[in-house]
Amino acid sequence: MPDTPIAGIQADRLAAFAAREAAVYAKARPKAAKALQDGAGVFLGGVPMHWMADWPMPHLPLIAKAQGARIADIDGLTLDDFCLGDTGSMFGHSPPSVAKAIRAQARRGLTYMLPTEAALDAGRLLTDRFGPFRWQIATTATDANRFALRVARAITAKPKVLVFNGCYHGTVDDTFVALENGSTINAPGLLGQVADLTETAVCCEFNDLASVEAALAKGDVAAILTEPVMTNSCMVLPDAGFHDGLRRLSQTYGALLIIDETHTISSGLGGYTRVHSLRPDIFVVGKCVAGGMPTAVWGLTDETASRFEEANARREPGRTGMGTTLSANPMQFACLVATLSDVMTPDNYAHMEKLAERLSHGLARVIDKHKAPWHVVRVGARVEFICAPGPLKNGTQAGYAHQPQIEAAIHTGLINRGTLIAPFHNMMLVSPATKKAQVDRLIANFDTILTDLFKAA
């Protein structure tokens, strides 16, 4: 009796393909394997950051250099990079103007706890690019989201944040909740979690305005924190009218609306918020906003800033709980100015979107050619293939659509053919440095792999 297919692929064929590709990968990288064996033991789990162990290859490569949209390892192998640091290098590795700004600022000092003239320039550029917000600078989007939630709770005097099932907002504790039989629970798998997060968070399904209204009607939600598009597992687009509904409901029930653009800055100039005329009370973006230098920004509308200032004036003396010593350092501002003025430009976005559209259509043609029950989603310069029929409507559907065995095998197969994509959700980014030939190679490599996986017995 034949084995049960996984997303259209026979399990034995998938296992054989994965084993072959793993062997090819390991044989090609002996220097990295030896170096890791000799030196990685000093790290907890053998990696500098624990999620590095989640890459699906037999072992990690060790990177020697990255430039533009290419990345090279110590074994002398070079890859077309569509992962781009999972958005951190969305505008390419070391954009020339950013690298120049880093060199110049390094000669003047790295951190002062005091602003520079570049800080004022960066503030004006942020407003020009994203809209009229009152800005603050953080090091990561996690920090920015955490600080934004403090502001929302201070303004509204309410305890809870509303998030969506399957959301991604960095490592903000309050966002690690999920839905189980319609009820909010602590997300499974949390390490060292001792608090009941349901005391400070409520979880709803994306695209379900009725559940959002039911949660807000209880009167204890300070803020809705959402990505414009769900990006953490398999990408989920908003239904028509969903974001307008969130804005209306937040105003009706006295909650602030926080839009986290850390992944959806790929959507176009100014992010999804500006492209689609969203109207958040607080705007957050991180990762690539300073060209790869660890930086995030969060901004308040004038009305929200005034309400925060009133709440701040009423608080008793003591620490606000917002801010980190190395945030708003002069290197961040130098890189922000370089990125916002020279890299995050209309021409670069036009290039990115044109090639991303080519990539999206090419992958869809391959999927149709092999009659795979899969689909492709694109948001600006961000493209994903999803190993399930679509479109997906919410986080629950996105979770079921995730196929780790298939995705791991394809990921390794693509690396062996010269292409790197993001390891956790089949995400591909097109940068200003990406070439048409790189896009066409990725499509051809994807076709070669699916030809193997879906060929007749």
Side-chain angles (χ1 to χ4, degrees):
M1 191 171 179
D3 56 353
T4 303
I6 304 171
I9 302 170
Q10 294 301 124
D12 58 349
R13 186 180 302 281
L14 175 61
F17 175 84
R20 288 197 305 273
E21 296 299 324
V24 169
Y25 177 95
K27 184 177 180 180
R29 289 173 173 80
K31 290 182 180 179
K34 184 177 187 309
L36 288 165
Q37 183 178 6
D38 293 344
V42 298
F43 293 110
L44 179 65
V47 288
M49 176 58 80
H50 67 91
W51 45 250
M52 290 181 178
D54 294 337
W55 285 76
M57 305 87 78
H59 62 76
L60 293 170
L62 293 178
I63 303 306
K65 181 180 180 181
Q67 188 70 45
R70 300 277 286 169
I71 192 166
D73 65 25
I74 66 170
D75 284 282
L77 301 172
T78 304
L79 303 172
D80 295 327
D81 189 4
F82 289 86
C83 174
L84 294 171
D86 194 17
T87 309
S89 294
M90 188 182 80
F91 297 112
H93 296 287
S94 298
S97 61
V98 176
K100 181 179 177 181
I102 290 171
R103 288 193 297 270
Q105 184 59 50
R107 293 193 293 267
R108 298 192 292 265
L110 302 182
T111 189
Y112 317 141
M113 286 190 75
L114 291 167
T116 60
E117 284 187 297
L120 307 180
D121 294 337
R124 287 188 286 268
L125 287 165
L126 286 167
T127 296
D128 289 344
R129 186 62 69 235
F130 298 114
F133 295 98
R134 303 272 292 278
W135 299 102
Q136 289 281 276
I137 310 300
T139 301
T140 67
T142 292
D143 288 339
N145 282 319
R146 188 181 296 119
F147 302 157
L149 289 180
R150 280 192 176 273
V151 168
R153 287 165 171 150
I155 288 174
T156 64
K158 297 176 181 180
K160 288 192 175 183
V161 56
L162 187 155
V163 297
F164 292 104
N165 190 35
C167 66
Y168 179 78
H169 301 290
T171 56
V172 178
D173 281 355
D174 303 89
T175 67
F176 282 94
V177 289
L179 280 176
E180 182 176 82
N181 299 321
S183 296
T184 303
I185 62 168
N186 281 17
L190 292 178
L191 184 65
Q193 183 63 50
V194 296
D196 180 2
L197 299 178
T198 66
E199 296 294 321
T200 56
V202 59
C203 193
C204 297
E205 288 285 16
F206 199 71
N207 284 322
D208 185 352
L209 289 174
S211 70
V212 171
E213 182 161 24
L216 293 177
K218 295 179 181 179
D220 58 356
V221 173
I224 301 169
L225 173 58
T226 185
E227 307 165 88
V229 174
M230 293 197 72
T231 62
N232 191 43
S233 178
C234 298
M235 200 152 60
V236 179
L237 301 178
D239 288 343
F242 176 65
H243 283 296
D244 288 341
L246 290 183
R247 177 70 281 184
R248 173 179 54 80
L249 290 173
S250 67
Q251 292 172 328
T252 298
Y253 292 98
L256 298 187
L257 179 61
I258 306 172
I259 299 290
D260 179 359
E261 288 263 20
T262 298
H263 281 166
T264 54
I265 194 173
S266 65
S267 302
L269 195 66
Y272 196 100
T273 293
R274 201 146 210 193
V275 170
H276 295 275
S277 301
L278 305 188
R279 295 177 293 118
D281 298 297
I282 304 178
F283 175 91
V284 173
V285 65
K287 290 201 176 181
C288 63
V289 71
M293 175 61 60
T295 306
V297 300
W298 54 292
L300 314 180
T301 62
D302 285 342
E303 179 185 357
T304 307
S306 295
R307 294 177 67 188
F308 168 67
E309 288 164 357
E310 292 171 4
N312 192 40
R314 293 193 301 268
R315 70 181 177 89
E316 61 185 357
R319 296 163 60 190
T320 64
M322 299 189 296
T324 54
T325 302
L326 296 180
S327 293
N329 67 67
M331 187 64 81
Q332 289 177 310
F333 289 120
C335 293
L336 275 168
V337 169
T339 303
L340 294 167
S341 58
D342 298 331
V343 180
M344 198 182 292
T345 64
D347 286 348
N348 277 345
Y349 266 108
H351 172 87
M352 293 157 68
E353 293 187 51
K354 180 180 179 180
L355 287 186
E357 184 177 28
R358 183 181 185 89
L359 175 59
S360 175
H361 289 329
L363 296 177
R365 284 196 304 271
V366 171
I367 287 170
D368 290 344
K369 170 185 172 181
H370 295 285
K371 297 182 173 58
W374 302 1
H375 72 287
V376 177
V377 182
R378 179 173 79 91
V379 176
R382 182 187 181 105
V383 180
E384 292 185 16
F385 66 86
I386 297 172
C387 304
L392 306 174
K393 303 294 286 184
N394 56 47
T396 296
Q397 291 183 9
Y400 285 131
H402 191 42
Q403 297 290 346
Q405 290 175 274
I406 295 174
E407 292 156 10
I410 291 175
H411 179 88
T412 305
L414 286 172
I415 290 177
N416 288 339
R417 290 159 180 81
T419 302
L420 183 70
I421 68 172
F424 310 127
H425 37 63
N426 309 325
M427 186 271 289
M428 295 150 280
L429 283 166
V430 173
S431 78
T434 304
K435 308 298 184 187
K436 175 176 170 288
Q438 293 177 294
V439 169
D440 290 345
R441 274 196 296 270
L442 170 50
I443 296 167
N445 291 339
F446 187 67
D447 188 15
T448 298
I449 290 169
L450 263 61
T451 297
D452 197 328
L453 291 174
F454 283 94
K455 67 184 177 185

